[in-house]
Amino acid sequence: MQGETLFISDLHLDSDHPEIQQQFLEFMQQDAKRCDALYILGDLFEVWLGDDDDNPDHQQIISNLKELSSQGTPIYIQHGNRDFLLGQHFAQQAGCTILDDPSVIDLYGEQVLIMHGDLLCSDDADYQAFRQQVRKPEWQAQFLQQSLAQRKQIAEGLRQKSQQETQAKTTEIMDVTQSTVDQYMQQHNVYILIHGHTHRPDIHKWKHNSDDRKRIVLGDWHAQGSVLRWSKDGYQLQTLSREQS
Ligand code: LP5
Ligand code: MN
């Protein structure tokens, strides 16, 4: 719909879940068709091993993104903790613009901070150390030099390690840290923050000093879709049931 901007995140697209891919393809053909812009705030893909991966399911997503953008919907995408290797080749093929995390955008006159959300989980020290390492350009260049088969194996080992570790972490550690949220909002001089990653869709409102602040958390697409619709007149955080698609 024109006059509306859409936000999604955490689809975790993966060949093992064709139903999510199908729902996203329909979302692009329907909801996103005539909107003012589509923002994807990270983890569109479950794993991204490099732009040279020729996975046919990924290729289908890329060509549909390209079609949507060439029909006039600007598409903006941020890196998630699983697809941080999305690069300029992907962006060009898909007709998307990769945005920094964090970024401030102008939404119908309102300044809004958008993030994937993993940076906000600052109490998760092991993850933050790991993140720092894998976001270094030298590390990434070295990783991308390895064969696709080697990269797959490393990513698989990492997923297993992550699964073991997250089981041992408390839910508090894996949620955002409020003081970190306030710091980012202060630093970017905004009252509204939109992010994903935690898979805890919600709208949090609080006062910081005398300011009203708001944090909108997008949901993942594991069991159903999740979309934030934003227009001049207001916003709505919606779930998209699978039956609908
Ligand atoms: O993903 P999720 O939500 O389950 O957990 C995240 C954090 N985990 C990760 C790791 C990813 O899940 C693994 C898949 C990434 C694929 C990338 C592919 C390309 C690059 C490959 C790079 C080698 O992001 C998890 C957070 C959680 O969110 C909540 O915020 O807690 O963090 C971790 O569990 C990380 C550990 O705490 C630290 C891991 C140290 C790894 C040490 C190197 C092991 C290498 C093994 C190689 C065989
Ligand atoms: Mn994530």
Side-chain angles (χ1 to χ4, degrees):
M1 201 174 86
Q2 248 168 1
E4 188 176 63
T5 295
L6 304 182
F7 296 85
I8 56 174
S9 72
D10 301 283
L11 288 88
H12 294 268
L13 296 175
D14 178 17
S15 304
D16 291 345
H17 292 281
E19 72 285 4
I20 307 180
Q21 175 128 346
Q22 190 53 35
Q23 190 176 18
F24 180 50
L25 292 173
E26 285 168 20
F27 172 81
M28 282 195 278
Q29 278 151 21
Q30 293 161 15
D31 307 54
K33 193 83 176 250
R34 278 173 294 277
C35 69
D36 291 340
L38 171 65
Y39 286 87
I40 304 170
L41 306 190
D43 286 353
L44 173 61
F45 297 101
E46 172 80 350
V47 173
W48 192 261
L49 296 168
D51 290 0
D52 56 338
D53 189 354
D54 57 0
N55 176 324
D57 292 327
H58 291 174
Q59 294 307 319
Q60 190 188 24
I61 293 298
I62 289 171
S63 61
N64 278 265
L65 286 167
K66 181 70 169 184
E67 192 182 324
L68 182 62
S69 65
S70 43
Q71 285 166 348
T73 301
I75 307 171
Y76 301 98
I77 186 161
Q78 285 181 314
H79 286 142
N81 54 299
R82 288 163 169 274
D83 57 10
F84 59 88
L85 286 171
L86 286 169
Q88 286 310 321
H89 180 75
F90 160 82
Q92 205 178 20
Q93 297 287 304
C96 299
T97 304
I98 298 179
L99 295 181
D100 287 345
D101 179 2
S103 283
V104 177
I105 60 169
D106 182 303
L107 255 188
Y108 308 105
E110 198 128 35
Q111 301 304 295
V112 173
L113 185 65
I114 56 171
M115 303 177 76
H116 177 54
D118 53 335
L119 278 172
L120 300 168
C121 304
S122 54
D123 287 347
D124 193 345
D126 290 345
Y127 170 69
Q128 295 301 335
F130 162 73
R131 185 184 192 281
Q132 243 183 16
Q133 172 81 10
V134 298
R135 297 303 177 99
K136 286 185 183 150
E138 319 84 75
W139 186 93
Q140 295 191 357
Q142 208 187 10
F143 180 74
L144 290 171
Q145 265 170 17
Q146 306 194 50
S147 71
L148 215 46
Q150 282 170 317
R151 280 179 263 162
K152 264 191 195 137
Q153 208 180 2
I154 295 172
E156 191 45 49
L158 185 58
R159 280 174 76 170
Q160 281 173 16
K161 173 110 176 116
S162 175
Q163 266 166 13
Q164 281 164 13
E165 294 212 5
T166 48
Q167 271 170 19
K169 290 177 191 176
T170 63
T171 53
E172 289 76 29
I173 279 184
M174 290 191 288
D175 202 355
V176 304
T177 300
Q178 184 59 37
S179 58
T180 307
V181 168
D182 279 315
Q183 263 169 29
Y184 273 103
M185 294 181 83
Q186 196 72 24
Q187 190 186 343
H188 294 278
N189 200 22
V190 296
Y191 303 107
I192 303 168
L193 165 63
I194 304 171
H195 71 85
H197 180 66
T198 59
H199 302 190
R200 299 174 209 210
D202 209 344
I203 298 173
H204 302 270
K205 295 179 179 173
W206 72 103
K207 263 198 188 307
H208 183 79
N209 301 330
S210 55
D211 301 334
D212 286 316
R213 287 186 173 181
K214 212 156 41 199
R215 178 170 68 93
I216 303 173
V217 189
L218 305 170
D220 63 277
W221 283 49
H222 185 68
Q224 61 203 1
S226 173
V227 59
L228 172 67
R229 301 175 178 275
W230 196 291
S231 72
K232 275 191 207 73
D233 305 325
Y235 63 88
Q236 213 184 348
L237 182 59
Q238 278 186 338
T239 56
L240 306 171
S241 69
R242 201 80 88 206
E243 294 79 63
Q244 193 186 302
S245 55

